[in-house]
Amino acid sequence: MIKNLLSFFLLFIAIGVHAQNAGNAISANNEVRDTAMKKDLIDIAKTLFNIKGRPRTKPGEKKVFFSLLPIGANVPGGGRALITSTSAGFYLGERETTNISNITFTPYWNLKSRFGLPLRSNLWLNGNEWVVQGDTRFLYYPQNTWGIGSGVEENKILVNYKYIRFYQNALKRIEPYLYAGLGYNLDYFINVRGEAPGLADFSGYPIGTATGENSFTSGVSLNLLYDTRNNSINPLPGAYLNIVLRENPGFLGSKTNWQSLYVDARKYISLNTKPHQQNTLAFWSYLWTGLNNNIPYLNLPSIGWDPNNKSGRGVDQNRYRGKGLFYVESEYRRDITDNGLFGFVVFANATSVTEQNNKFKKLHPAVGTGLRIKFNKTSNTNIAIDYGVSQGYKGFAVNLGEAF
């Protein structure tokens, strides 16, 4: 089965890195700015409360486009919490030659023992010469785990820990749409404690599972990025390929020396028959694998723990964990109204993880649908309300921006 998965993945990458001509990026930028026929929640608020619009910005003037979503909803890993998701889109250079940057801050709290402070950024410098990526989190994160491999739905334990993450990457453009660079990655799992019989006995995994253990990893990464999209908040037609090779040596403080590889490919195909309409097929796949046997348990590839925590809609986060993980998803996106205020998506995905013998054996599918409400038409930010189902799980997810 692993040969079939790899063959399919290589085929997907070949589709995902199909070259886009330079005019695509410029026309995509123009489409983002041309919002005269569009409507969003900000327009509705202005009408309801008789708010007069500000004068238009001068050509080339920088401006920040905010989106805010205060809700009570499910959070990754299960349970409900108060969430305030704030997204800011802005340009750090000329719009004709620079992608839109974005910063997202999504604190949540369940009024008891669970909270999170995640801050993510994706910054495109003037002329797209550099891209700087950041992911900083502090989480108090009790979460179920099902052990290594596919597991059994009813066989799980709760694991409590605090988690600090600090990832920073800087990539330089070396060819049109192609970037290479280095990153620093820190993971610190504090006071890891599993319910009886304990995480070590339950998982049968000896690294990073001792009761009360602190699991610390510090490493560097080599990053290669190919990206013809101009807006990561709501990607327009284009392609994306991200390869991250991570090394975690002992001299940087890691408790064990281990390596991993993450390869992420995406493709967006426009089916538009009308101008300014969302009618898109989107495809996403990633392969995430450890390259040796010294990986701490909570650093093992796990569904929903991809860099953006967006994989596995319709699946409980952390449900599948193994030394290797393969994931594939497709989604159809379509506007319902001509002005783009409302839209919908339908999606399907499948996950496979290595079992205790480090072999892929099973695929775990999920399906779902979602509603899209345009919050900010200038940054093309949607409120995404998704409902997904899989074997043993069903639930809603609410976010600002698309899953991928």
Side-chain angles (χ1 to χ4, degrees):
M1 186 171 181
I2 181 63
K3 292 182 179 179
N4 293 335
L5 288 174
L6 288 174
S7 297
F8 180 80
F9 187 69
L10 291 173
L11 176 62
F12 192 93
I13 291 177
I15 296 173
V17 299
H18 179 70
Q20 309 289 311
N21 61 51
N24 286 347
I26 296 175
S27 63
N29 273 310
N30 289 336
E31 184 174 347
V32 171
R33 295 200 314 273
D34 186 4
T35 59
M37 300 176 64
K38 298 290 187 178
K39 180 171 286 190
D40 57 21
L41 292 182
I42 297 174
D43 292 326
I44 294 175
K46 288 179 178 178
T47 301
L48 288 176
F49 298 103
N50 195 27
I51 301 172
K52 295 182 178 180
R54 295 180 179 179
R56 292 188 177 183
T57 57
K58 298 177 182 179
E61 182 179 343
K62 296 182 178 66
K63 185 178 180 181
V64 180
F65 313 108
F66 284 104
S67 301
L68 178 66
L69 182 64
I71 58 170
N74 294 330
V75 291
R80 294 182 64 83
L82 278 173
I83 303 174
T84 303
S85 182
T86 304
S87 176
F90 49 91
Y91 290 94
L92 295 175
E94 296 296 327
R95 297 190 186 188
E96 288 75 14
T97 58
T98 308
N99 291 353
I100 189 170
S101 299
N102 71 283
I103 296 176
T104 302
F105 180 50
T106 313
Y108 59 85
W109 182 37
N110 70 349
L111 305 181
K112 293 182 181 180
S113 60
R114 180 178 185 144
F115 66 88
L117 299 171
L119 176 68
R120 299 184 181 92
S121 58
N122 196 40
L123 307 179
W124 294 88
L125 303 191
N126 189 28
N128 290 342
E129 287 293 329
W130 286 85
V131 56
V132 181
Q133 304 162 332
D135 185 354
T136 303
R137 311 181 197 180
F138 179 68
L139 310 176
Y140 186 82
Y141 218 77
Q143 184 178 49
N144 288 322
T145 185
W146 287 258
I148 303 296
S150 299
V152 178
E153 180 60 36
E154 296 77 18
N155 192 20
K156 59 187 177 183
I157 65 169
L158 188 69
V159 180
N160 281 273
Y161 56 89
K162 298 179 181 70
Y163 175 45
I164 297 173
R165 170 183 285 193
F166 182 76
Y167 291 4
Q168 294 290 324
N169 304 310
L171 293 85
K172 178 72 170 65
R173 187 174 67 188
I174 55 178
E175 293 287 346
Y177 309 116
L178 183 64
Y179 298 79
L182 298 174
Y184 174 73
N185 305 272
L186 181 149
D187 295 288
Y188 189 21
F189 300 94
I190 304 169
N191 194 19
V192 179
R193 294 179 176 273
E195 292 180 337
L199 182 57
D201 291 337
F202 174 79
S203 65
Y205 194 85
I207 304 173
T209 54
T211 299
E213 181 172 355
N214 294 336
S215 177
F216 184 80
T217 295
S218 173
V220 295
S221 62
L222 177 63
N223 302 269
L224 188 66
L225 174 67
Y226 177 82
D227 193 354
T228 68
R229 310 169 307 165
N230 87 307
N231 185 343
S232 60
I233 302 171
N234 187 354
L236 297 165
Y240 173 93
L241 175 65
N242 187 31
I243 301 174
V244 181
L245 179 63
R246 180 175 173 180
E247 172 72 36
N248 306 279
F251 69 82
L252 286 179
S254 298
K255 296 187 72 172
T256 60
N257 189 336
W258 58 274
Q259 302 82 38
S260 66
L261 176 67
Y262 180 78
V263 183
D264 184 324
R266 309 178 191 185
K267 177 67 176 177
Y268 307 87
I269 301 172
S270 175
L271 304 177
N272 282 352
T273 57
K274 298 180 180 179
H276 313 295
Q277 287 286 298
Q278 170 77 289
N279 187 9
T280 302
L281 276 174
F283 301 94
W284 177 24
S285 183
Y286 69 80
L287 176 67
W288 183 11
T289 183
L291 301 179
N292 63 2
N293 295 319
N294 299 322
I295 306 173
Y297 181 82
L298 293 174
N299 282 112
L300 288 170
S302 180
I303 188 65
W305 277 100
D306 57 289
N308 291 318
N309 290 137
K310 294 292 185 68
S311 64
R313 283 180 294 173
V315 180
D316 212 350
Q317 188 192 47
N318 215 43
R319 175 63 182 85
Y320 304 111
R321 180 185 297 273
K323 182 180 177 182
L325 186 150
F326 176 79
Y327 181 79
V328 61
E329 180 166 2
S330 60
E331 180 173 88
Y332 177 61
R333 304 169 180 173
R334 182 69 182 263
D335 281 345
I336 297 173
T337 58
D338 289 341
N339 60 15
L341 180 61
F342 293 104
F344 75 93
V345 304
V346 290
F347 60 87
N349 61 63
T351 306
S352 183
V353 292
T354 55
E355 308 294 335
Q356 290 280 3
N357 60 3
N358 288 332
K359 294 183 179 180
F360 290 96
K361 289 185 177 180
K362 300 179 181 179
L363 279 174
H364 307 282
V367 296
T369 187
L371 175 68
R372 297 294 180 266
I373 305 172
K374 190 72 67 184
F375 188 99
N376 191 313
K377 63 188 181 183
T378 310
S379 62
N380 209 13
T381 301
N382 290 327
I383 297 174
I385 306 170
D386 291 326
Y387 181 78
V389 297
S390 62
Q391 184 176 8
Y393 179 84
K394 57 184 177 181
F396 283 97
V398 182
N399 291 288
L400 279 175
E402 299 304 317
F404 65 96

